Amino acid sequence: MNVFRLAGDMTHLLSIVVLLLKIRTTKSCAGISLKTQELYVLVFLTRYLDLFTRYFSVYNVLMKLIFIGTSVAIFWYMRYHKVVKQTYSKDLDSFRHYHLILGCFLMALLIPFDFSVTEVLWTFSIYLEAVAILPQLVLLQKSRNIDNLTGNYVFLLGAYRALYLLNWIYRFFTEIHKIRWIPWISGLVQTALYADFFYYYIQSWRKHEELKLPA
Amino acid sequence: KSDGISKDEL
């Protein structure tokens, strides 16, 4: 485990903590896309099927269980919690995420890492994660004001994949020495989707202004 | 498999 990978995982974990903190303390999920959260549940469930077949480390098992558990918890809060669900910005969350699921699944069938059920699902989860943030970004663009916790949540989520890119570069030279097309290209796409958001996030931070994305 | 050894990632 190198420092970029660990920093990436911790950033990912922190983004989830920030989101859960927002939901639990403010009892509000305003500005959060339920569609993106649904996609993450699907991403984790399809990627971590190897929990049953392969053991890497205690850290690995623990993190996988945390990601599955927290993503289901967030989904549950937004969908079923008596108070929280009333704050869901349903009308703004209009992205057709089923198209993403279908598109990624077809892509995974065409270009899987390997032709087996678990490997196709693993590839699907990589493709889907790359675009899962889209409904959230669209929702932010439609929101009048973006609260700090929501802004920080999305920033940390983007930073996580950017750190993974550094981790892959590091691992390529020190360890693996092989090109990993599927995660690399997907990871690049995933990070690139945040470019616009990063720009406005850093600007608002430097100017001490409220974060706002131009429509 | 080119990718098997790095499936330890999350």
Side-chain angles (χ1 to χ4, degrees):
Chain A
M1 169 99 68
N2 63 68
V3 63
F4 304 112
R5 161 75 196 284
L6 186 65
D9 285 351
M10 289 306 114
T11 313
H12 195 181
L13 193 61
L14 195 62
S15 74
I16 293 166
V17 169
V18 166
L19 180 54
L20 273 171
L21 200 74
K22 170 189 158 84
I23 292 175
R24 285 185 55 97
T25 57
T26 66
K27 288 279 179 287
S28 159
C29 64
I32 300 297
S33 166
L34 178 58
K35 300 198 166 160
T36 284
Q37 298 306 320
E38 286 176 359
L39 294 180
Y40 282 134
V41 172
L42 201 53
V43 164
F44 294 135
L45 286 179
T46 50
R47 186 172 311 163
Y48 298 156
L49 287 171
D50 65 355
L51 268 172
F52 300 103
T53 58
R54 239 190 310 200
Y55 175 80
F56 294 103
S57 63
V58 174
Y59 173 85
N60 186 273
V61 172
L62 217 64
M63 291 294 273
K64 284 175 175 171
L65 292 176
I66 291 174
F67 285 150
I68 292 173
T70 49
S71 66
V72 171
I74 292 164
F75 168 76
W76 180 85
Y77 269 113
M78 295 187 67
R79 192 84 188 249
Y80 300 111
H81 188 280
K82 213 168 54 192
V83 183
V84 175
K85 73 175 182 189
Q86 318 247 353
T87 62
Y88 168 46
S89 327
K90 193 174 180 194
D91 297 335
L92 300 179
D93 197 13
S94 55
F95 197 97
R96 293 193 200 154
H97 65 329
Y98 292 110
H99 294 184
L100 293 179
I101 298 173
L102 190 69
C104 289
F105 191 71
L106 291 177
M107 274 270 292
L109 284 176
L110 286 173
I111 320 170
F113 169 60
D114 200 7
F115 287 97
S116 74
V117 175
T118 48
E119 295 302 337
V120 167
L121 287 176
W122 180 84
T123 312
F124 164 72
S125 83
I126 297 284
Y127 293 155
L128 190 63
E129 186 190 346
V131 292
I133 197 64
L134 283 172
Q136 179 64 65
L137 290 174
V138 168
L139 197 162
L140 286 188
Q141 213 158 45
K142 290 182 185 170
S143 305
R144 289 252 154 215
N145 41 15
I146 303 163
D147 63 84
N148 278 334
L149 285 174
T150 304
N152 292 340
Y153 165 67
V154 176
F155 176 77
L156 289 166
L157 212 47
Y160 136 69
R161 221 35 171 179
L163 285 163
Y164 254 67
L165 293 182
L166 298 178
N167 157 54
W168 291 330
I169 294 169
Y170 181 86
R171 288 190 89 176
F172 178 78
F173 288 109
T174 58
E175 204 184 330
I176 297 173
H177 306 293
K178 274 177 184 153
I179 297 177
R180 302 174 58 208
W181 291 111
I182 290 174
W184 286 5
I185 292 178
S186 310
L188 264 176
V189 169
Q190 187 172 345
T191 310
L193 290 181
Y194 286 87
D196 227 38
F197 174 85
F198 282 150
Y199 175 79
Y200 291 107
Y201 180 89
I202 290 165
Q203 272 214 334
S204 80
W205 179 74
R206 281 178 52 191
K207 291 183 187 164
H208 307 286
E209 279 174 1
E210 240 179 52
L211 176 60
K212 224 180 204 173
L213 303 183
Chain B
K1 283 185 188 178
S2 62
D3 219 345
I5 39 173
S6 50
K7 286 277 187 69
D8 59 331
E9 288 175 356
L10 295 164

